[in-house]
Amino acid sequence: MSMIRLYTRVLELLGKEARLGWILAVANLLLAGAQFAEPVLFGRIVDVLSGKPTGGPLASSSAWPLLAAWAAFGLFTILCSAAVALHADKLAHRQRQAVLTNYFEHIMQLPLTFHTGTHSGRLMKVMLNGTDSLWRLWLGFFREHFAAILSLVVLLPLALYINWRLAVLLFILCVVFTVLTTLVVRKTYGMQSEVEEHYSDLSARASDALGNVALVQSFVRIQAEVQGLRFVADKLLAVQMPVLSWWALVTVITRASTTITVLAIFTVGIALHEQGLTTVGEIVMFVSFATMLIQKLEQVVSFVNNVFMEAPRLQEFFNVLDAVPAVRDRPDAIDPGRLSGMVEFKDVSFSYDGKRPAVEDLSFTALPGQTIALVGPTGAGKSTAIALLHRAFDPQSGFIRVDGMDVRGLTLTALRRNIGVVFQEALLFNRSIADNLRVGKPDATDEELRIAAGRAQALEFIERGEQGFQTNAGERGRMLSGGERQRLSIARALLKDPPILILDEATSALDAVTEAKLNAALDEVMKGRTTFVIAHRLSTIRHATRILMFDNGRVIESGTFDELVAQGGRFAELARAQFMVQENARASIQTPEPDSTVVKI
């Protein structure tokens, strides 16, 4: 994306603040014109006092009217500058928050495949750095940069009108600045992009270590992780320093050019004055013009430098913002309200990479109230099939219907409101237990929370805490045990009371006693709703209405538990293997080897 297109997009993101932006632009134009009244009036006053007044629109035989005009323009400049600064600040702050929330909403809607391949720390860095960059550019543009650009547009024609011979020096100065800035930008643009890549690596590495702090401490990895972070930071500095050196060179030349230009104007001005081609007032005026031009050029260079430095951050920001969700609502999508829960898969196929099918020609029907179990080895397609049901992805062929309606014809909100999911990994917010439960039903009463927690065998440990339902779960639920987290996630799904329930190894983190209690509660809760159970432990699906045995994305066996065992196929082998593992485990506990150490937990 070119620098001009990039900055155009920055201004396009002003959204509803664009009207205020136009008002500020007009105010900047007035400021640009008013600022030049001071040097012009100064020069005319010098000519009047020296007894050689000149003609033109500001001709006067007395200095007092010129002085009064100077005071009026000065007062206008002060008031207008204060108003522009105030409203520019308000505009930049309001729109930064608006863009940040819109960006957050956008990334939350992106598919799981995007989040799987993108580190959360990097996304946070892109969001915060991107909105901060937008804020700085908006603020700088309306407070000083736009006025500086307009000042150049006003100054050069004005200088030509007053004295073209002295104006040539100002034009030469502008050309030198333009060439120098262009060279530096071209030289360092690629370097700054590399700098931002290192910043992203730094953010992702730090976030990764903090997210796994228990692993880092238990494996004595603190110094190694710090050293790794320091290595990334050193690489960042190694790339950043040459960029800073180039822009420091621009600053040095800018300072030197001020003295050179003023000396040149005095030299040429004195020569012209001796020939009667200029006045002392015009020389003083052009010295002020030169000083002001240097100041405006510095602001323009600062503007270009800011855009250049922010460009890689903004490029990352816009790359994420332009990502189109693979799964989104159709224009004619409907909200059917509460569904009854009949689910039909018909010739459904899906592949993540377009080469190896994750699910192939999957067909089955689940009637309301039935429990469908999906079993098979890891990677067989069980989780993918369920993900297709709640539209984490859309199938490449075939269709999925709920109550006779294609799921792609329903709004995502309507579909997912009718589906409750209990993931194998309990996902909790760093909020109170009550807040985590109300994710399933935001308007749930305290009594409803107690009932759902009781059904999920979670009420006892909740009330055991001093703050009860107001106890904080910690980041990702780390203040709770694995079993407690899982029971809360089950309670959350029960509170939602959906017609379709998905249990992805929902009891895997529970002890045998709690699992038995919870399975009894789930048997009661699953009545009247369609339930899909992804299970590796076959004891949890003993009473399923139907079991689908997956292998390489296909259903190779289907039937009840007893029917599949009687068939003597793959499911029967799996059942026998699990029972043998349990027998071997019991035997090893009862008769430990002489040299082994038995630890009782």
Side-chain angles (χ1 to χ4, degrees), residues 32 141 144-154 296 299-300 303:
F141 182 79
E144 57 180 25
H145 295 149
F146 188 49
I149 295 171
L150 291 176
S151 296
L152 296 179
V153 175
V154 175
K296 300 305 177 185
Q299 291 177 350
V300 171
F303 163 71

Side-chain angles (χ1 to χ4, degrees), residues 149-206:
I149 295 171
L150 291 176
S151 296
L152 296 179
V153 175
V154 175
L155 172 60
L156 297 177
L158 179 63
L160 282 173
Y161 172 75
I162 295 173
N163 191 314
W164 69 267
R165 295 175 181 84
L166 292 175
V168 170
L169 297 174
L170 302 183
F171 271 95
I172 293 173
L173 180 61
C174 287
V175 171
V176 171
F177 260 87
T178 302
V179 172
L180 178 63
T181 304
T182 302
L183 289 174
V184 172
V185 167
R186 288 184 176 179
K187 184 72 176 178
T188 56
Y189 183 76
M191 296 180 185
Q192 187 62 29
S193 297
E194 189 175 354
V195 168
E196 284 308 309
E197 290 180 7
H198 288 306
Y199 269 118
S200 295
D201 293 341
L202 190 71
S203 176
R205 188 176 185 95

Side-chain angles (χ1 to χ4, degrees), residues 59-72:
S60 176
S61 58
S62 173
W64 293 110
L66 297 175
L67 189 62
W70 189 349

Side-chain angles (χ1 to χ4, degrees), residues 35-50 52 54 70 155 159 162-163 166 169-170 261-270 272-273 277-293:
Q35 286 173 348
F36 294 106
E38 180 177 338
V40 171
L41 290 169
F42 184 29
R44 295 308 182 205
I45 290 173
V46 170
D47 283 336
V48 169
L49 295 177
S50 64
K52 295 182 178 181
T54 57
W70 189 349
L155 172 60
I162 295 173
N163 191 314
L166 292 175
L169 297 174
L170 302 183
T261 304
V262 171
L263 287 174
I265 288 175
F266 269 117
T267 302
V268 175
I270 291 171
L272 293 175
H273 183 266
L277 297 176
T278 188
T279 65
V280 175
E282 286 183 350
I283 295 175
V284 172
M285 188 187 307
F286 269 84
V287 169
S288 298
F289 278 168
T291 304
M292 185 176 290
L293 179 62

Side-chain angles (χ1 to χ4, degrees), residues 392-412:
F393 324 101
D394 278 336
Q396 276 108 22
S397 63
F399 59 84
I400 303 171
R401 291 192 179 119
V402 178
D403 290 4
M405 296 175 287
D406 193 319
V407 293
R408 289 169 290 195
L410 309 179
T411 64
L412 287 168

